[in-house]
Amino acid sequence: MDASQIELRVGCDIPVGDLIGLYDSVGWKAYTVSERRPDLPRALRNSTYVVTAWYEDRLVGLARALSDDVSVFYLQDLLVLPGYQGQGIGTQLMRHCLERYEHVRLHILLTEDDERVRRFYESFGFRNINDLSESPLSAFVRVHGVELS
Ligand SMILES: CC(C)(COP(=O)(O)OP(=O)(O)OC[C@H]1O[C@@H](n2cnc3c(N)ncnc32)[C@H](O)[C@@H]1OP(=O)(O)O)[C@@H](O)C(=O)NCCC(=O)NCCS
């Protein structure tokens, strides 16, 4: 696959089966278990910005964000179909979102603590809050139905 053959599309007009397949492929069951399936198209519809990556009309990646277009851009999901990972698609999606929201002051995301994922986000200038010493910040999170420890 040649990265130049990837087409990026803005908007959430995506067949539900393709969406479920993509989220399922990276193991994000919280979105794809049968009782939650109707929530996924709703979550996309209510996102501020959705951009998808297509290879020969196959959905191979997606990024979606919430933003007020002034002070905060929150990246909620970024995912690439496993067979297409490591070929620059995540980078294309990320660059596209960051260019669109370049003017916004805070860029925030929450993700699993995985070395490769960390390196990926650091390459775009994101810093893990735990690594900050000269400009310390705190981040707080609640997860519905989960007792965090
Ligand atoms: C993280 C993710 C979006 C990166 O997309 P991608 O298209 O594979 O990334 P790119 O090819 O543009 O860039 C590759 C870089 O991404 C990072 N990366 C993280 N996970 C990776 C994976 N499973 N495969 C390949 N690269 C990965 C690495 O830093 C890699 O750089 P390296 O080759 O120097 O190690 C993608 O791997 C993915 O969907 N993972 C599963 C879902 C996830 O964890 N999403 C992030 C949390 S929101």
Side-chain angles (χ1 to χ4, degrees):
M1 187 210 74
D2 178 347
S4 67
Q5 293 171 280
I6 294 296
E7 185 196 345
L8 297 189
R9 298 179 192 165
V10 175
C12 58
D13 186 15
I14 307 157
V16 177
D18 291 0
L19 263 186
I20 302 282
L22 178 63
Y23 276 75
D24 228 6
S25 75
V26 296
W28 288 359
K29 304 279 177 224
Y31 286 108
T32 60
V33 289
S34 52
E35 65 273 21
R36 297 248 182 96
R37 285 186 176 198
D39 290 347
L40 185 54
R42 189 157 63 93
L44 263 82
R45 271 198 312 279
N46 291 326
S47 298
T48 320
Y49 200 73
V50 180
V51 56
T52 45
W54 299 80
Y55 177 69
E56 294 179 343
D57 268 340
R58 180 173 193 195
L59 177 66
V60 295
L62 178 147
R64 73 178 177 102
L66 307 172
S67 177
D68 62 5
D69 221 5
V70 175
S71 52
V72 64
F73 163 85
Y74 182 85
L75 182 74
Q76 172 58 20
D77 294 337
L78 173 66
L79 61 164
V80 171
L81 208 60
Y84 292 80
Q85 290 178 7
Q87 299 175 72
I89 298 172
T91 300
Q92 282 192 47
L93 289 165
M94 195 67 205
R95 280 205 190 118
H96 178 92
C97 289
L98 293 180
E99 279 170 22
R100 165 64 183 81
Y101 287 97
E102 186 58 39
H103 59 289
V104 167
R105 181 160 178 267
L106 283 176
H107 291 180
I108 302 174
L109 63 92
L110 196 63
T111 187
E112 62 182 291
D113 190 17
D114 172 274
E115 184 52 34
R116 294 186 80 190
V117 174
R118 172 191 279 244
R119 257 191 289 126
F120 178 80
Y121 288 119
E122 285 181 347
S123 75
F124 295 100
F126 284 86
R127 292 293 170 263
N128 188 309
I129 271 191
N130 298 324
D131 295 338
L132 304 179
S133 53
E134 295 195 4
S135 44
L137 292 168
S138 288
F140 296 88
V141 63
R142 296 175 74 208
V143 181
H144 179 76
V146 177
E147 191 69 39
L148 296 175
S149 58

